[in-house]
Amino acid sequence: MISFSMTEEQKELSRLARKFAREEMRPVASECDEKEIFPRTVFEKAHQTGLITYRFPEKYHGGGVDSLLTSCIISEELFWGCAGFSTSFGVSALAAGLIHHFGDEEQKKKWLTFLCDPGKVRMGAVCLTEPGAGSDFGAIRTRAERDGDGWKLDGTKCFITNGGIADLYLVFAKTRPEEGAQGVSLFLVPADTPGVSAGKKEKKMGQRASHTADVIFEGVRVAGDALLGEENMGFYHAMKMLEESRPVVGAGAVGVARAAYEYALDYARERKQFGKPIFKNQSISFMLADMRSKIEASRLLVWRAAEMYDRGEPCSMEGSMAKAFAAETAMEVTTNAVQILGGYGYMRDYPVEKWMRDAKVLSIYEGTTQIQKLVMTKLMEAE
């Protein structure tokens, strides 16, 4: 039987994430957005609370909660708190996830523990995007060449979440350039390795509380065991990563949309014009009804994709549907929230303008909405 109920464990984790979002994230979100700073202290608190490492086995200091659906439930609450913070949290967990999926036991003991240890909090980052390569995976130009028993990396990555502040980079680099996307491998590169440096920090429209920057690799030498998974299997690793991350991003979009909807609803109930709350005007109440409906529909798409993943079923179609629909819903809902508040919604004194700015990149990163539709149409063609 299909169920839309959370387990007791999921309910408890949802309450934990909501409490953290309300008490630790929201009070500083506006200031961090305004100053364009990522608060390491909030990351450390989230890490120590277990809200970043819960999915990994306990023997590596994780929480042992191996469920993508649970990740989506937690992600919705954290993005409700602040999308910028949550994006940085999620990318660090994504880096750990790559090690968990593709690392051998020695790599997991060393590097998954490195990222999960609550005693010494560390941050991860995934270095895939380049100035000329995003969704076009085969266009990656960063090179990894054999150097004795190890490897030498050269290249520049851009738009890297946690770039320049992470402790460990998961780097996609060409090991067999003539084979395009099939000649990419994945490497573990500690941030303190000679030749690794931070480039330009981006000034963004939204999610300003997430640190985004270039990462530069110049003659970076790593040992042979820095290769994660099999050589030339980077494309497969990236597709696996995206299959898992897209429902989580969709859940984050639900959280941003829900935050804006809740605020707009409260405002519409209290704000009076022509002697009555503006909620009594059909043009406003119908807008809110549509917002609520699309948020609920987005959540159901996300949960469906995640539940399929947890059952071990292919869910590329469902994940792309969920990510695309939820991201566009977040943009629509936050825009309408600004409209409902009118002139106040346009002012920085009110949070809806931040949520609107934060929402936009949800339809861009982890594959644009157009890329999601390309994925869907290719899968439909193959049916």
Side-chain angles (χ1 to χ4, degrees), residues 42-100:
V42 177
F43 175 81
E44 290 174 354
K45 288 178 182 178
H47 194 292
Q48 291 162 348
T49 305
L51 289 170
I52 296 173
T53 60
Y54 56 87
R55 284 202 66 196
F56 308 113
E58 293 179 3
K59 67 179 180 177
Y60 307 118
H61 297 295
V65 183
D66 188 15
S67 164
L68 188 63
L69 178 55
T70 302
S71 293
C72 290
I73 290 166
I74 292 172
S75 179
E76 178 180 334
E77 297 302 333
L78 294 179
F79 271 77
W80 177 90
C82 176
F85 297 169
S86 300
T87 293
S88 286
F89 297 174
V91 166
S92 190
L94 203 62
L98 284 166
I99 300 168
H100 181 225

